Structures are given as structure tokens and as C-alpha cells.
Amino acid sequence: MTDVRDLLIRGSEKVIAHYRQLLAGVKTEEERELYLTRIDREQRLLDQLQNGLSGRFAA
């Protein structure tokens, strides 16, 4: 189970990094809000993974 969790953690970290790159090049406030929302959501999932899933998978 640890291998799967580690894989999910690395995936979430990559997604966050990607959204941060996209955020750096936004052209509109709407884009900015979209990426910030997605980063926030992915960060919450990452925090859950790092602190344990409480018996369920984050999706």
C-alpha cells in the first residue's frame, strides 16, 4: 500500500508544479482563479495522502 501512496503523492506534487507553471503565465483573472482553485484542491488531497487516508482513497 505504501508504494501506491508514494506514487499518488508524487503525482499530486507533479500536478501542483504543473499548475504553478501555468499560473505564472496567466493572461486573465479568470485563469488565475482557476489555477489557484486547482492548486488548492490538489494540495488538500496531497495533505490527506501525506497524513494518511483515514481509511479511504482521495479522488
Side-chain angles (χ1 to χ4, degrees):
M1 185 65 162
T2 301
D3 292 336
V4 172
R5 193 173 119 225
D6 291 343
L7 179 67
L8 292 171
I9 288 171
R10 284 193 309 273
S12 286
E13 290 169 341
K14 285 183 176 184
V15 168
I16 291 169
H18 179 72
Y19 281 137
R20 286 186 176 147
Q21 286 180 327
L22 292 172
L23 184 61
V26 298
K27 293 179 175 54
T28 66
E29 184 62 26
E30 185 175 288
E31 267 185 303
R32 182 181 178 283
E33 287 300 319
L34 174 68
Y35 295 137
L36 287 173
T37 299
R38 290 181 179 180
I39 289 169
D40 183 55
R41 180 185 68 203
E42 196 66 35
Q43 185 63 55
R44 284 193 314 268
L45 293 173
L46 179 58
D47 292 343
Q48 288 177 352
L49 286 168
Q50 290 175 331
N51 295 326
L53 295 175
S54 302
R56 62 184 178 147
F57 283 101

